[in-house]
Amino acid sequence: MVQYNFKKITVVPNGKDFIDIILSRTQRQTPTVVHKGYAISRLRQFYMRKVKYTQQNFHEKLSTIIDEFPRLDGIHPFYGDLLHVLYNKDHYKLALGQINTARNLIGKIAKDYVKLLKYGDSLYRCKCLKVAALGRMCTVIKRIGPSLAYLEQVRQHMARLPSIDPNTRTILICGYPNVGKSSFINKITRADVDVQHYAFTTKSLFVGHTDYKYLRYQVIDTPGILDRPFEDRNIIEMCSITALAHLRAAILFFLDISGSCGYSIAQQAALFHSIKSLFMNKPLILVCNKTDLQPLEGISEEDMKLVMEMKAEALKTAVGQGGEPTNDDDVLLTMSTLTEEGVITVKNAACERLLNQRVDIKMKSKKINDCLNRFHVAIPKPRDQKERPPCIPPAVLEAKANQEAEKEKRKTEKDLENENGGAGVYSMNLRKNYILANEEWKEDILPEILDGHNVYDFIDPDILHRVEELEREEGIRQAEAEDDDFEIDGTELTPEQQEALAEIRKKKSLLIQQHRMKKSTAESRPTVPRKFDKDKQFTSERMGRQLSSLGLDPTLAIKRMRSTSATRRGRKRERSPETRNTDGGDGMDIDGDTPSKKQCLSRSRSRSRSVPRLPNEVVPGEGFKDSAKKVKAIKLAKKSVKKRNKDARRGEADRVIPNLKPKHLFSGKRSIGKTERR
């Protein structure tokens, strides 16, 4: 029996990948070092080997593609027509033909250039011939790039096709869309076909398997078929037509007598009569589905007449090859996939009809005579009139009786669990099977040992009573704390304390009012530049009053503000006292505002270069009390890393230079250039 497994077809690379694979293999598998000092025969042999090896690789790859793809003329007609419906056999054959032509062209190119290499007179001439040969081979592969891409798409789609054996026992389900075909296959097999309330949910063939009388049957769910001309049917419908035409199977034609599928019984009858020629010499069963919505007896007389006409046609088409009609009770069946009423009956009837037909065909074949000669059925004849009933020894009967009694009496843990509340309630007794000298010891409490002590010796028998007392006491204290909310009412204070309390409350209310006013006024906003202070609210006098109220001397701040004021354009900024005394305390004062050259130079140096901070200088915010504490902390920090620095261990602050050249990517023959360079 031929098995078709399209999932094992090798992946077809595209043109660029094909060239990369072959040339990389040639580079790896052939010698790469050659010198111009070699003998000319050795140079010729070197380059001839490369050309021949490349041609052999191309030939092997292309031959694998041609051999693994199925030939439409050499496979089962079902698969031949199915591939034609899905991929158009003309395009398929053209693509494989182009692959075959490319294989022959590459062979001719290699043969021609090997002849030319035999007459190469120098290293340069041989190398040019090798490059030209490989280039022409790659050009041929590039030209068949679209064919390679097409075959890869076909391979991927063929790998997703269901594995259908055309020669095994098969049940085929057909009918209009949305009549319950997928629901039926889901009920009788382990297939998981998508079921929806709209038409054409099933768009391809689906396969499931079921058993009947210890035999395996494959059940095929086909897409829905519409009643229209053959040439107007789409690819989805043609898949069903192909399966009906080529598979020797029992046909289940589904009818939706409720009309919920969107098609009337008249339309379904018209479809039946249009494809009844595909049912010849095959067991055919009409299945009236969805009887939970509409029973068969409740349909109208016209619809019943159409159903009876289809039943009569089914009896004609179901006539075996010997011409004997089958029983009409098995031709028309009713069922409901929703309530599962009649589902098993339909399956059994289809399997039985198919099995009988296959047996009849085999009995009428020419091979049956060869098989019957090997069979001999022995029928014993009675030697006298005495009855000899079968004799069973009493010991065997007694043993069987004891086994039956044990089966009835013995209760498993599952039975005990169901009797005592089920899972989660029943807890199995693990001690009942202990083998002890005394059966009463099984239920004794085992001591728990912790750190060499018996835990039971430290358990207070009154612990629960004491815990209840503590909880009761805690509740009483919480109730008292809720009742004793403290609030100062002033009745228990002295007159001086009452005055202080009144002053505090007054100050508090005043602060709250000021805060609310600030939120609603412009004072809560950030300070604006002075050029926008047209009302002159932000003055130096106001700042002085605020600083004085805080207990600070505002003289220096006001003086510095006036010295940096932009309004005093005619006045130069005065030098600070530190700058005046840089030349020494005995320096002579200079009349006027014009500084000397030396003063300008020192001032520019002080502006360009800041004075470095000493290591032991304490900066606010570092957390040190004084400079001595800071020096001590620095010494401790250096001491903590001293041992690690001696061991030369890498820390988190050390510089890391990662290895950016892994060996497996940068070692080998080709260390310079890209992979695409040939």
Side-chain angles (χ1 to χ4, degrees):
M1 185 180 295
V2 181
Q3 294 290 337
Y4 301 98
N5 190 359
F6 299 136
K7 295 179 175 61
K8 292 184 178 180
I9 300 177
T10 309
V11 177
V12 181
N14 56 33
K16 186 175 180 301
D17 293 342
F18 206 113
I19 295 171
D20 289 343
I21 292 169
I22 300 301
L23 295 186
S24 297
R25 184 181 297 174
T26 304
Q27 186 74 0
R28 285 185 281 108
Q29 301 294 337
T30 56
T32 56
V33 179
V34 65
H35 299 289
K36 60 182 180 181
Y38 289 167
I40 190 63
S41 60
R42 187 175 177 183
L43 295 175
R44 293 169 182 168
Q45 189 65 29
F46 177 84
Y47 288 107
M48 286 167 60
R49 181 177 177 182
K50 284 189 174 291
V51 174
K52 288 180 180 178
Y53 190 82
T54 306
Q55 183 266 336
Q56 289 175 2
N57 286 333
F58 275 123
H59 187 276
E60 290 175 2
K61 275 281 188 182
L62 296 175
S63 299
T64 302
I65 294 173
I66 295 172
D67 295 340
E68 288 188 349
F69 275 88
R71 296 176 180 268
L72 298 184
D73 300 333
I75 60 176
H76 194 275
F78 164 69
Y79 274 111
D81 282 2
L82 184 63
L83 296 181
H84 172 57
V85 167
L86 295 175
Y87 316 121
N88 192 342
K89 65 180 181 181
D90 296 334
H91 294 172
Y92 180 78
K93 289 183 177 180
L94 280 175
L96 288 178
Q98 289 181 359
I99 301 296
N100 189 29
T101 304
R103 182 179 63 177
N104 297 333
L105 284 175
I106 290 174
K108 291 180 181 179
I109 291 170
K111 186 177 179 181
D112 294 342
Y113 276 90
V114 166
K115 287 182 180 179
L116 293 175
L117 280 169
K118 290 181 180 179
Y119 300 99
D121 54 357
S122 64
L123 173 65
Y124 177 75
R125 187 69 56 85
C126 293
K127 186 176 181 179
C128 290
L129 289 173
K130 186 266 296 184
V131 171
L134 268 60
R136 290 188 63 185
M137 293 180 191
C138 295
T139 302
V140 172
I141 295 298
K142 286 181 181 178
R143 288 179 179 175
I144 63 170
S147 298
L148 294 173
Y150 169 77
L151 289 176
E152 173 61 15
Q153 294 293 327
V154 171
R155 184 200 67 81
Q156 293 179 4
H157 195 279
M158 288 172 65
R160 294 193 292 267
L161 289 177
S163 298
I164 299 175
D165 187 359
N167 301 311
T168 190
R169 294 167 291 275
T170 307
I171 298 174
L172 198 63
I173 308 171
C174 64
Y176 255 93
N178 206 20
V179 295
K181 302 185 297 296
S182 300
S183 301
F184 178 72
I185 192 175
N186 288 342
K187 294 293 183 182
I188 66 172
T189 67
R190 300 183 66 181
D192 187 15
V193 186
D194 189 19
V195 178
Q196 299 294 341
H197 61 278
Y198 49 83
F200 286 107
T201 306
T202 304
K203 297 182 180 180
S204 62
L205 300 176
F206 284 88
V207 180
H209 293 85
T210 186
D211 292 331
Y212 178 73
K213 289 185 177 181
Y214 305 103
L215 294 175
R216 178 60 58 91
Y217 290 78
Q218 70 176 0
V219 185
I220 300 177
D221 179 22
T222 61
I225 308 173
L226 298 179
D227 182 23
R228 51 186 176 181
F230 183 80
E231 58 274 5
D232 293 341
R233 289 194 169 101
N234 54 25
I235 295 176
I236 298 176
E237 297 174 85
M238 288 305 298
C239 291
S240 302
I241 298 298
T242 304
L244 287 170
H246 295 290
L247 292 179
R248 292 188 301 171
I251 309 297
L252 297 180
F253 188 85
F254 271 58
L255 291 173
D256 183 3
I257 57 177
S258 66
S260 60
C261 64
Y263 305 98
S264 63
I265 296 180
Q267 291 175 307
Q268 299 178 57
L271 172 65
F272 177 84
H273 291 295
S274 65
I275 63 174
K276 65 181 179 181
S277 59
L278 301 174
F279 302 151
M280 293 303 296
N281 299 328
K282 297 176 184 177
L284 175 62
I285 298 177
L286 293 175
V287 181
C288 298
N289 192 18
K290 302 185 182 180
T291 55
D292 56 320
L293 300 177
Q294 175 67 52
L296 181 62
E297 296 79 10
I299 62 176
S300 62
E301 295 182 359
E302 297 179 358
D303 294 339
M304 182 62 75
K305 184 179 179 181
L306 294 173
V307 172
M308 290 300 129
E309 289 178 358
M310 287 188 285
K311 180 180 178 181
E313 291 291 337
L315 284 172
K316 294 179 183 178
T317 56
V319 171
Q321 292 183 353
E324 297 179 357
T326 58
N327 186 9
D328 58 351
D329 295 336
D330 296 335
V331 174
L332 181 62
L333 298 175
T334 60
M335 73 168 190
S336 172
T337 54
L338 182 63
T339 61
E340 299 186 6
E341 180 183 356
V343 172
I344 301 300
T345 305
V346 172
K347 185 198 86 166
N348 294 341
C351 294
E352 188 67 30
R353 290 273 302 278
L354 179 63
L355 190 61
N356 294 336
Q357 189 211 32
R358 290 172 68 92
V359 171
D360 292 340
I361 292 174
K362 289 180 180 179
M363 291 295 293
K364 295 172 184 177
S365 64
K366 296 180 180 180
K367 294 181 180 180
I368 193 64
N369 296 326
D370 299 335
C371 297
L372 290 178
N373 293 334
R374 304 174 191 174
F375 298 151
H376 174 69
V377 181
I379 302 176
K381 296 181 179 180
R383 60 186 179 182
D384 51 23
Q385 300 298 327
K386 185 178 179 181
E387 293 184 3
R388 293 179 176 87
C391 179
I392 301 176
V396 176
L397 294 175
E398 185 179 356
K400 286 186 177 181
N402 293 335
Q403 289 180 0
E404 295 294 333
E406 288 181 1
K407 288 182 179 179
E408 294 178 359
K409 292 180 181 179
R410 185 181 177 186
K411 285 188 177 181
T412 61
E413 288 293 335
K414 186 69 176 177
D415 299 333
L416 294 174
E417 179 183 340
N418 295 332
E419 292 176 1
N420 295 289
V425 178
Y426 172 73
S427 179
M428 184 174 62
N429 186 7
L430 300 176
R431 301 181 182 179
K432 63 182 180 180
N433 295 324
Y434 286 0
I435 302 174
L436 301 176
N438 191 352
E439 293 293 331
E440 298 179 355
W441 294 351
K442 291 182 179 180
E443 304 300 330
D444 290 350
I445 299 175
L446 298 179
E448 297 182 14
I449 307 301
L450 180 66
D451 297 335
H453 301 283
N454 191 350
V455 177
Y456 192 75
D457 295 340
F458 298 91
I459 294 178
D460 189 357
D462 300 333
I463 185 68
L464 296 177
H465 180 66
R466 293 185 181 183
V467 170
E468 292 178 359
E469 289 182 354
L470 286 175
E471 291 179 352
R472 195 181 305 111
E473 184 179 353
E474 184 181 2
I476 294 172
R477 290 188 178 183
Q478 287 180 356
E480 291 177 355
E482 292 176 358
D483 296 338
D484 296 341
D485 290 337
F486 180 73
E487 181 67 29
I488 298 177
D489 53 359
T491 56
E492 300 177 356
L493 301 178
T494 61
E496 293 81 3
Q497 292 176 345
Q498 290 181 359
E499 291 179 2
L501 179 61
E503 191 69 25
I504 290 171
R505 289 178 174 174
K506 183 178 179 182
K507 184 68 174 177
K508 183 178 178 181
S509 63
L510 186 61
L511 290 174
I512 292 173
Q513 292 177 4
Q514 289 179 356
H515 178 68
R516 290 175 180 173
M517 292 175 62
K518 285 180 180 179
K519 287 178 66 176
S520 60
T521 58
E523 291 186 3
S524 60
R525 300 171 187 170
T527 307
V528 295
R530 291 188 62 183
K531 64 179 180 179
F532 297 109
D533 186 18
K534 297 180 181 179
D535 298 335
K536 294 184 179 182
Q537 295 181 1
F538 306 96
T539 59
S540 59
E541 290 81 4
R542 178 181 174 183
M543 184 182 71
R545 289 195 301 271
Q546 290 181 351
L547 293 176
S548 300
S549 63
L550 296 174
L552 301 175
D553 186 11
T555 307
L556 294 176
I558 294 174
K559 187 176 181 181
R560 181 170 180 80
M561 184 182 70
R562 289 177 177 174
S563 65
T564 57
S565 175
T567 58
R568 301 171 180 263
R569 300 184 184 275
R571 181 179 177 182
K572 298 290 184 180
R573 179 180 175 183
E574 296 181 358
R575 295 179 62 195
S576 60
E578 294 82 359
T579 312
R580 291 179 193 149
N581 299 331
T582 51
D583 299 335
D586 298 335
M588 183 176 61
D589 294 338
I590 300 175
D591 296 335
D593 294 337
T594 304
S596 64
K597 186 176 181 181
K598 187 176 181 180
Q599 289 175 346
C600 292
L601 183 60
S602 64
R603 185 183 304 170
S604 64
R605 285 178 182 174
S606 64
R607 288 179 181 176
S608 62
R609 183 177 60 192
S610 61
V611 179
R613 184 183 297 129
L614 297 176
N616 58 353
E617 184 179 352
V618 179
V619 179
E622 286 185 341
F624 299 109
K625 187 176 182 182
D626 51 14
S627 59
K629 297 288 185 183
K630 184 174 182 180
V631 171
K632 186 177 180 180
I634 293 173
K635 287 183 179 180
L636 290 175
K638 289 182 178 179
K639 186 177 180 181
S640 64
V641 298
K642 188 174 182 181
K643 186 177 183 302
R644 189 176 67 185
N645 292 342
K646 281 187 176 182
D647 296 338
R649 295 176 184 173
R650 188 174 70 180
E652 59 183 8
D654 292 332
R655 185 183 178 196
V656 180
I657 301 176
N659 183 16
L660 298 178
K661 290 190 175 183
K663 185 176 180 182
H664 70 283
L665 292 179
F666 290 89
S667 63
K669 296 180 183 178
R670 306 192 56 192
S671 58
I672 301 176
K674 298 181 180 178
T675 310
E676 296 179 355
R677 182 184 65 83
R678 299 299 176 194

